[in-house]
Amino acid sequence: NRTTPFTVEIYNHKTLYKTVKISKGNPGKIYIDRELMITDGYGDLFTPNKMGLHLVGEYKFFAHFRFAVRNHAEIITSKGKAELGKVFYAAMAENPVGRSYVNSSIGITATEDNTSVKLSGYNAGVVFSNGVDGVSSPNLNTVLNKGESYIVDVISETSQANLFGLIGTKIEADKPITVTNGNFDAIS
């Protein structure tokens, strides 16, 4: 609601990526390099990475990220500090079809260094896209530093459990994190 323009800083990991001035009636629009937010490389999954953005402004503001790829478009809206927490549960659509390009995913970003994160409660029949199954690995654990992300992914055609197996996954951290979860090309 501020009519006087102010600057919003956009960080990737701990590095200033871009800045934009905004005010009421004058939103900012910037283009984000794809590799900062979207991956199709398995090397970016199940390991701390530098994907994701952190926006900082002197005053409150709304932000959302929009993207489109073949057969899919998405809008992710930031909830600001209200989005921070230590316990989350994953929610996503139950995939109605099993195809290699359809997935369910969970993205976690740390806000402080040395943040321990544990995922549990997913279907034991899940086969993650890195080949690990939910029976031999009933928990996923990682440690993230501020600005690092961790992406968990299942491909729907790998197992029947992958069509719905991440729904209800419990995500616990010892320090505040943010979580984004859902499907990519879920309904085909």
Side-chain angles (χ1 to χ4, degrees):
N1 289 329
R2 295 198 56 88
T3 55
T4 304
F6 65 96
T7 300
V8 173
E9 297 173 328
I10 300 142
Y11 291 87
N12 168 253
H13 194 238
K14 296 177 184 178
T15 304
L16 181 63
Y17 175 65
K18 292 186 180 185
T19 61
V20 64
K21 282 213 179 269
I22 63 171
S23 63
K24 183 177 182 176
N26 294 301
K29 180 178 180 179
I30 63 165
Y31 291 91
I32 304 295
D33 294 330
R34 180 187 195 279
E35 64 272 7
L36 296 182
M37 297 294 287
I38 301 171
T39 185
D40 55 10
Y42 287 113
D44 294 323
L45 307 176
F46 303 98
T47 186
N49 66 60
K50 296 180 180 177
M51 295 177 68
L53 300 173
H54 177 209
L55 285 67
V56 179
E58 185 178 356
Y59 304 101
K60 291 182 180 183
F61 62 94
F62 292 100
H64 52 250
F65 173 69
R66 298 178 187 191
F67 73 88
V69 294
R70 190 180 137 254
N71 297 330
H72 186 81
E74 190 71 56
I75 298 174
I76 299 172
T77 301
S78 171
K79 298 166 201 75
K81 289 184 179 181
E83 183 175 9
L84 298 177
K86 294 182 181 179
V87 178
F88 295 85
Y89 291 89
M92 57 209 51
E94 182 176 322
N95 284 326
V97 295
R99 296 198 175 102
S100 63
Y101 59 87
V102 179
N103 81 344
S104 297
S105 64
I106 301 169
I108 301 158
T109 303
T111 62
E112 297 180 26
D113 287 342
N114 298 312
T115 301
S116 295
V117 180
K118 175 183 173 182
L119 287 85
S120 62
Y122 41 81
N123 185 306
V126 162
V127 177
F128 295 99
S129 61
N130 65 352
V132 172
D133 64 77
V135 173
S136 63
S137 185
N139 300 312
L140 295 176
N141 299 291
T142 190
V143 176
L144 301 172
N145 287 318
K146 181 178 181 175
E148 285 185 327
S149 298
Y150 184 79
I151 303 168
V152 174
D153 178 74
V154 298
I155 300 171
S156 71
E157 77 172 354
T158 307
S159 74
Q160 184 65 25
N162 283 11
L163 298 178
F164 55 87
L166 287 185
I167 297 171
T169 297
K170 186 175 186 180
I171 305 143
E172 301 172 274
D174 64 343
K175 298 175 184 170
I177 58 172
T178 65
V179 174
T180 303
N181 67 131
N183 308 93
F184 201 86
D185 262 353
I187 312 259
S188 299

